[in-house]
Amino acid sequence: MQGKVILVTGSARRVGAAICRRLHAAGANIALHYRSSETEALALQAELREQRPHSVKCMKADLLRPHALTRLIDNTVRHFGRLDALVNNASSFYSTPLEEINEQNWNDLIGTNLKAPLLLAQAAASELRRNHGAIVNIVDIHAERPMHGHLLYSVAKGGLAALTRALAQELAPNVRVNAVSPGVIVWPEKPEWDDEDQRRKVIAHTLLKRQGEPEDIARAVHFLLNDAPYITGQIIAVDGGRSVNI
């Protein structure tokens, strides 16, 4: 991956930061996207630049604004001179019981989890084709098995899984498109997920009987970008076996 340029959305913290560190360690230059986590983004940029100067560029953008998505791609190419891969990691997550769904929920959850990855892929397509690049989407095991009370999130991630396969068709043969589907990796930053009993119940459904780590997702992303030249249109579950044991 030496000298390759990779845009990672939602990459200032948590899983996104782990992906950036893994790809950067493999030699890639990183366009580090964030929306509101500026302090964390700048700290990660400084950390990685200390290892290799000029190898990371922070880029702020609201993924719900279509024009911002085009600028994000353009600014990446303008700064680094190329774009080799796109990792659609940014995500909104919160509960939306059927009775409480409104248009704002729809625009946010569908916009961040499905519309933004589509428009980013569209904006990046010509550059990725030119460089025989790749896209990796971060889906969720609940794309296939909806989470109760999280209707819109499940629908959005289900759409992202379908988008992964459809983009693999549309962008073939020059661009590979795959996805990673996490299970229990890091807990959502919501009060309802602070309950230890609830966490233990979720972990009990994993075949490996433990929580995963952000690095587990980062390894899978690295594999799909760098070590899988004959894989496209596929979704890899990294979930400790939870998806077959729910």
Side-chain angles (χ1 to χ4, degrees):
M1 303 196 79
Q2 201 70 34
K4 297 292 181 68
V5 175
I6 304 174
L7 169 61
V8 184
T9 67
S11 52
R13 49 201 292 271
R14 293 162 64 89
V15 170
I19 293 170
C20 286
R21 289 187 175 99
R22 180 82 181 188
L23 299 179
H24 185 266
N29 296 322
I30 306 296
L32 196 163
H33 161 263
Y34 70 98
R35 183 185 64 176
S36 57
S37 301
E38 184 172 56
T39 300
E40 294 91 339
L42 292 174
L44 181 57
Q45 175 179 257
E47 171 193 330
L48 299 180
R49 281 183 174 179
E50 186 174 352
Q51 299 169 23
R52 201 167 71 248
H54 313 300
S55 59
V56 179
K57 175 66 174 176
C58 279
M59 298 187 181
K60 181 177 182 177
D62 183 349
L63 298 187
L64 297 180
R65 295 177 175 271
H67 293 303
L69 304 178
T70 303
R71 285 198 302 271
L72 191 56
I73 300 298
D74 291 343
N75 289 341
T76 299
V77 176
R78 186 177 300 112
H79 182 80
F80 289 107
R82 61 186 295 133
L83 177 64
D84 297 278
L86 167 64
V87 180
N88 285 306
N89 169 72
S91 176
S92 291
F93 173 86
Y94 49 85
S95 63
T96 50
L98 177 61
E99 298 79 9
E100 300 175 14
I101 291 173
N102 56 44
E103 188 174 8
Q104 181 179 352
N105 301 150
W106 172 271
N107 290 337
D108 182 19
L109 289 166
I110 300 297
T112 305
N113 292 293
L114 179 56
K115 184 178 179 181
L118 167 61
L119 295 181
L120 282 169
Q122 182 186 51
S126 62
E127 182 69 11
L128 293 177
R129 285 190 178 108
R130 186 172 69 84
N131 295 321
H132 294 270
I135 296 174
V136 175
N137 297 319
I138 306 300
V139 188
D140 192 296
I141 60 171
H142 294 292
E144 302 294 334
R145 297 171 180 270
M147 182 188 300
H148 180 70
H150 293 72
L151 192 156
L152 283 183
Y153 175 79
S154 300
V155 168
K157 288 298 190 181
L160 184 57
L163 178 65
T164 299
R165 300 182 180 102
L167 283 174
Q169 287 185 324
E170 293 286 333
L171 295 175
N174 293 328
V175 180
R176 296 181 302 106
V177 185
N178 294 291
V180 175
S181 187
V184 184
I185 302 297
V186 288
W187 298 103
E189 296 175 320
K190 306 291 180 183
E192 61 266 29
W193 289 95
D194 290 339
D195 185 274
E196 288 297 329
D197 287 337
Q198 182 180 0
R199 292 186 178 190
R200 280 193 290 269
K201 289 177 183 177
V202 172
I203 292 173
H205 283 284
T206 68
L207 297 181
L208 299 183
K209 305 303 179 188
R210 61 179 176 83
Q211 180 179 340
E213 301 291 339
E215 181 64 17
D216 293 316
I217 305 303
R219 288 191 191 98
V221 171
H222 180 224
F223 165 74
L224 288 172
L225 289 179
N226 193 61
D227 302 312
Y230 201 56
I231 297 178
T232 194
Q234 303 304 307
I235 299 173
I236 299 177
V238 182
D239 64 353
R242 185 166 183 253
S243 57
V244 299
N245 199 46
I246 293 179

